[in-house]
Amino acid sequence: MKGKTNLDLSGKVVLVTGASRGIGRETAVRLAAAGARVAVNYCRSEPAAAEVVREIGQQAFAVRADVGEPGQVRAMIDEVVGRCGRLDVLVNNAATFDLNPFDGDDYERWQRGWRRTFELNIFGAANAAFLAMQVMRKQGGGRIINVASRAAFRGETEFADYGASKAALVNLTISIARGCAKDNIISSCVAPGFIATEMAQSEIDAHYDEIVGQIPLRRVGTVADVANVIVFLASPLADYLNGTIVDVNGGSWFH
Ligand code: NAP
């Protein structure tokens, strides 16, 4: 029917990094519900990834890779393409987040934090995008969806490395948008605020009233709040979005 809303991802192959729990897990489940075949990347949590695959069923399979390791990123992309013959959507979701305060007294720890955060959150995403786009170019196009953060725009007082890595990821998104649309590869980005996951739980627990007090909608986000937007960005409904950044933060930060 002409004009019918289309969230159907049947026939599409999607790789979600860091899909063993949290936002990545929910995104994998919802993309599969929309019809996609989903590669569930994990690093340490094999049983959790196996549980995601079990929940989704035959449309899913797990792929182990430390996205911070360039060789493992190559093996991950090769495995997905070897199994499915194509890769339509890459969701760069895997990330690390740790306190690394300006006034710490351990210089080595400070450097380790910056190095590890950038290796995974931005170099890993850029490497996966580079290799995925080689495949996408050959098959006539694809999508890169990056999971950034409100931290990209707000600056962070206790984890500047994380904020800087997410700012770089936003910039990668718009660079791909400008540089790769000629190959029918489009990119977009979500920038969540506080979402109730293992990553954010200790911050939410420690500063609940302050955090919720800054959110006009008066609640932290759910994994579904973010996953639904990613499914939309992966779908034909978002065909004309390129370099778009979607804030998913309940109105807690504007830029
Ligand atoms: P989470 O619950 O801690 O999950 C992180 C996922 O990343 C896990 O599946 C983990 O898998 C995977 N992962 C960690 N290191 C990895 C590596 N080296 N290689 C591959 N996978 C790895 O985190 P989340 O809150 O869902 O966060 C998902 C994304 O949203 C991240 O990009 C994060 O920065 C962003 N975000 C989250 C919030 C929030 O408030 N939660 C806010 C803004 C942005 P294994 O356990 O298998 O290693």
Side-chain angles (χ1 to χ4, degrees), residues 1-66:
M1 185 202 302
K2 202 170 171 220
K4 194 176 164 197
T5 300
N6 183 8
L7 264 168
D8 185 9
L9 295 175
S10 302
K12 301 290 183 192
V13 176
V14 182
L15 166 60
V16 183
T17 67
S20 58
R21 62 171 181 273
I23 292 167
R25 179 193 213 283
E26 187 69 16
T27 299
V29 169
R30 286 178 186 248
L31 286 165
R37 189 162 182 206
V38 182
V40 173
N41 161 252
Y42 68 99
C43 181
R44 286 150 300 193
S45 306
E46 188 170 3
E51 173 55 28
V52 180
V53 170
R54 198 199 54 73
E55 181 181 332
I56 295 174
Q58 286 182 345
Q59 274 164 270
F61 60 96
V63 188
R64 205 203 86 77
D66 180 341

Side-chain angles (χ1 to χ4, degrees), residues 17-25 41-46 48-49 65-69 76 92-97 116 120-121 147-151 162 166 169 190-201 204 223 226:
T17 67
S20 58
R21 62 171 181 273
I23 292 167
R25 179 193 213 283
N41 161 252
Y42 68 99
C43 181
R44 286 150 300 193
S45 306
E46 188 170 3
D66 180 341
V67 173
E69 295 290 333
M76 170 178 74
N92 273 320
N93 169 76
T96 184
F97 162 88
R116 185 60 191 151
L120 177 56
N121 298 13
V147 182
S149 170
R150 182 183 73 168
Y162 178 82
K166 294 300 187 177
L169 193 57
V190 291
F194 272 106
I195 308 298
T197 69
E198 197 172 308
M199 180 181 279
Q201 205 54 53
I204 292 170
V223 289
V226 184

Side-chain angles (χ1 to χ4, degrees), residues 120-157:
L120 177 56
N121 298 13
I122 182 65
F123 299 162
N127 291 340
F130 179 83
L131 295 170
M133 288 193 292
Q134 289 183 337
V135 181
M136 291 171 180
R137 239 172 255 125
K138 281 188 202 137
Q139 71 194 17
R143 283 186 195 189
I144 311 287
I145 302 172
N146 294 318
V147 182
S149 170
R150 182 183 73 168
F153 307 102
R154 197 174 74 139
E156 290 302 338
T157 56

